Amino acid sequence: MSYVRACSVGELAEDTPKRVELNGVPVALVRTEGEVFAINDICSHANVSLSEGEVEDCMIECWLHGSSFDLRSGKPSGLPATRPVPVYPVKIEGDDVLVSVNQES
């Protein structure tokens, strides 16, 4: 599994998504509940950026139609989205957030 540096931990505000592009893949990074999560930044329902949404209880909400996705699994919690979005493995080395977009969880 190959990891690429996404940002520093210090660049991630608690419960505030940050959009990055890694190897051409749009990724929303979220620091919440003492962990950092990486989820594909495109909503499976409406093709909009999830990083523009709100984070609460380890879920990210799509700002357009209100579907929420679990940051751990990518599964939607309810309609209108019915398909999950990919989530990616994250590891922290020092202050660096590393993500493997080649490997979906």
Side-chain angles (χ1 to χ4, degrees), residues 39-67:
I39 188 167
N40 192 283
D41 193 40
I42 305 301
C43 177
S44 63
H45 167 255
N47 198 31
V48 297
S49 179
L50 291 175
S51 61
E52 296 178 28
E54 301 284 324
V55 173
E56 186 176 337
D57 297 328
C58 220
M59 303 288 285
I60 189 167
E61 182 181 54
C62 178
W63 62 270
L64 187 59
H65 294 117
S67 287

Side-chain angles (χ1 to χ4, degrees), residues 2 7 12 14 17 22 28 32-33 36-37 48 51 54-55 58 68-69 88 94-95:
S2 68
C7 67
L12 298 176
E14 186 76 13
L22 304 172
T32 189
E33 299 181 9
V36 176
F37 299 93
V48 297
S51 61
E54 301 284 324
V55 173
C58 220
S68 289
F69 298 87
Y88 307 104
D95 191 46

Side-chain angles (χ1 to χ4, degrees), residues 90-104:
V90 174
K91 66 181 180 179
I92 308 297
E93 287 185 356
D95 191 46
D96 291 332
V97 176
L98 305 174
V99 179
S100 176
V101 292
N102 300 329
Q103 178 74 33
E104 295 175 12

